[in-house]
Structures are given as structure tokens and as C-alpha cells.
Amino acid sequence: IPEAQKALQQPVPIDATDSPLAQRLSALKESQRLPWLLQLVRQESACVLGLKSPEEIPLERPLQELGLDSIMA
């Protein structure tokens, strides 16, 4: 999912007090963050799109091509 990969390419300090998501990410090793975040995005996107499984969302396709836009979020 290009959007998630792009977000992780820009280093941003994680303050673990910001949110539960920031806390979870800060607890992971840096090498574990991208796979974990990609799975989270796929799970949530599959739910919004009414898909049976997160694996139905190809990693290489932008979410907009799958029909997910800011209105659905």
C-alpha cells in the first residue's frame, strides 16, 4: 500500500503519549513497524470496503484505486 509506505519514509519522532497507535508503534522495533502498519491499514480498509479478508487488498495498489477515499473514511 503505497500510502503507508510513503508515510513511514519520512522519519517522525514517536511520542508514546500521543495515542494508542503511537504507543504500539513505539513498542515495536523499527524493522517491525512497516509490516505491522501495513497489516493494520489492510484490516481497516477491508472492513470499510466490505471485503472478507485483508489479504484481498493488494499491497502494491493505491487505496484510491480500490475505491477507498476520504468520504468513506
Side-chain angles (χ1 to χ4, degrees):
I1 301 172
E3 294 88 349
Q5 290 175 338
K6 184 177 179 181
L8 286 175
Q9 289 174 352
Q10 301 172 2
V12 176
I14 297 174
D15 181 356
T17 62
D18 286 344
S19 69
L21 175 60
Q23 291 173 4
R24 178 67 176 130
L25 287 172
S26 69
L28 295 171
K29 294 179 184 177
E30 189 170 339
S31 63
Q32 296 172 316
R33 290 178 183 165
L34 179 59
W36 185 85
L37 187 57
L38 287 173
Q39 185 60 26
L40 175 65
V41 170
R42 288 174 86 194
Q43 288 171 344
E44 296 298 320
S45 299
C47 182
V48 169
L49 294 169
L51 303 174
K52 293 180 183 180
S53 168
E55 285 71 33
E56 292 183 55
I57 299 189
L59 290 174
E60 66 281 352
R61 295 220 20 226
L63 294 174
Q64 284 185 321
E65 286 183 14
L66 299 171
L68 188 66
D69 59 27
S70 60
I71 294 174
M72 295 179 80

